[in-house]
Amino acid sequence: MKKAISYISIFLLGLTTLSAQRIYFCDNYTAGGEPIGSNSKVSCPAEGGYIYILYQNGVNNLTTGNYLIHVEKLSGDNYVPFDVKSVASDPSKTWFVYDYKFLTAGDYKITVKNPSVLALATDYLTLIATESSSSSSAINNFDDPASTFYYTYSTVEATTSINSLTGETAGAYTTFNIDPTLGGRIYFKVSNSGKAIGTDKLSVYVDKKDASGTSQVFDTKIYDLSNKNSTWSQFYYDFYSNGEYTITVYSAAMTFVNTVTITIKYKS
């Protein structure tokens, strides 16, 4: 058993050759990057626990730079952004592993992206709740900016203007019209329901749906904040092409804040 998580013998994933990119959820791993105790269904105590996320890059060595592990959690009928972790690669290896701490049970979608933010592999994990193995209840900390739960009641609003002193917006919108030649600037207000933003930077991921309706990485921005003790912050983004965009916001520690989807149209 690895820390607070034990594996359910429902179905054991077989090992594959290193000819394809692959994600494994495992109890341990070998020195050569092979998973031990790999499974896609795991029992999870109420206080959470760790599981190794092992990524194999096929026959190719890893690219120099940081790989990203995007964690999404099923909410209703859709997977929504939950967390992102950065992993420094070892270019002499064809694999890497990250010891990830899951805090709650549920269905998760895990995607690994390379340093160019290109999605390489996706897999799914189900955490099944069991009784708590300890009396600890401090993990789900709504008052710690490093905790995923700190931004539980946060919002991200898209608008045409924001008062820099009061934070008052022209209104929250989901559809905007821009000039087909000059483009248009959209403002975003991030609020944390009366609590301090708690970060001095915002990492913003901009995804755009392609012709097939699949979201693709479009851009990534880092915004510096002047006051992390403020209960709200703002940033803007200049759009030059029409389409449906999803803007996902993370703190400097890559803790998920919230997301908003907007549609950009050309002015007629």
Side-chain angles (χ1 to χ4, degrees):
M1 181 181 295
K2 179 178 186 294
K3 300 180 184 177
I5 284 187
S6 61
Y7 285 75
I8 301 173
S9 299
I10 295 177
F11 133 111
L12 183 66
L13 296 177
L15 301 181
T16 61
T17 63
L18 295 178
S19 61
Q21 295 155 325
R22 181 73 184 274
I23 297 172
Y24 294 92
F25 308 109
C26 52
D27 183 48
N28 210 335
Y29 58 96
T30 69
E34 292 292 337
I36 298 174
S38 175
N39 211 323
S40 63
K41 293 183 183 293
V42 181
S43 62
C44 176
E47 70 269 21
Y50 290 80
I51 183 170
Y52 287 117
I53 298 177
L54 172 63
Y55 170 72
Q56 294 178 347
N57 200 43
V59 296
N60 299 315
N61 285 3
L62 300 174
T63 303
T64 301
N66 289 339
Y67 281 68
L68 297 175
I69 299 175
H70 285 251
V71 181
E72 298 175 77
K73 187 175 183 181
L74 186 64
S75 177
D77 296 328
N78 300 303
Y79 284 92
V80 298
F82 185 78
D83 197 8
V84 175
K85 296 298 181 183
S86 178
V87 182
S89 71
D90 181 349
S92 67
K93 294 182 178 180
T94 61
W95 59 277
F96 71 76
V97 67
Y98 187 87
D99 199 9
Y100 187 82
K101 185 173 187 177
F102 288 91
L103 300 179
T104 58
D107 293 302
Y108 292 87
K109 175 182 177 182
I110 312 297
T111 301
V112 170
K113 298 184 179 182
N114 66 12
S116 299
V117 201
L118 175 68
L120 302 175
T122 296
D123 212 330
Y124 297 84
L125 174 69
T126 297
L127 297 183
I128 302 173
T130 61
E131 290 186 5
S132 174
S133 61
S134 75
S135 60
S136 172
S137 61
I139 293 177
N140 301 347
N141 193 342
F142 288 83
D143 297 317
D144 181 4
S147 167
T148 304
F149 296 91
Y150 185 75
Y151 299 102
T152 296
Y153 302 106
S154 65
T155 58
V156 178
E157 297 176 304
T159 186
T160 54
S161 66
I162 301 175
N163 185 309
S164 60
L165 296 178
T166 66
E168 184 178 356
T169 71
Y173 306 106
T174 56
T175 301
F176 298 86
N177 297 313
I178 65 171
D179 187 283
T181 302
L182 302 176
R185 176 166 294 180
I186 308 301
Y187 292 84
F188 297 88
K189 179 182 177 181
V190 182
S191 302
N192 199 28
S193 189
K195 293 195 300 184
I197 289 296
T199 181
D200 56 5
K201 296 180 186 296
L202 293 178
S203 296
V204 177
Y205 290 78
V206 182
D207 296 334
K208 183 182 181 182
K209 281 191 176 180
D210 59 20
S212 68
T214 303
S215 289
Q216 303 288 346
V217 174
F218 185 78
D219 199 5
T220 304
K221 295 286 187 182
I222 303 294
Y223 296 93
D224 292 320
L225 304 184
S226 59
N227 182 10
K228 68 178 182 179
N229 294 316
S230 174
T231 59
W232 64 275
S233 62
Q234 64 172 313
F235 63 90
Y236 65 80
Y237 189 85
D238 293 324
F239 293 87
Y240 296 96
S241 59
N242 63 345
E244 184 174 319
Y245 296 82
T246 297
I247 292 82
T248 306
V249 180
Y250 299 88
S251 70
M254 292 309 291
T255 300
F256 172 68
V257 178
N258 219 314
T259 187
V260 65
T261 297
I262 63 173
T263 299
I264 301 295
K265 298 180 178 181
Y266 289 134
K267 293 179 180 177
S268 56

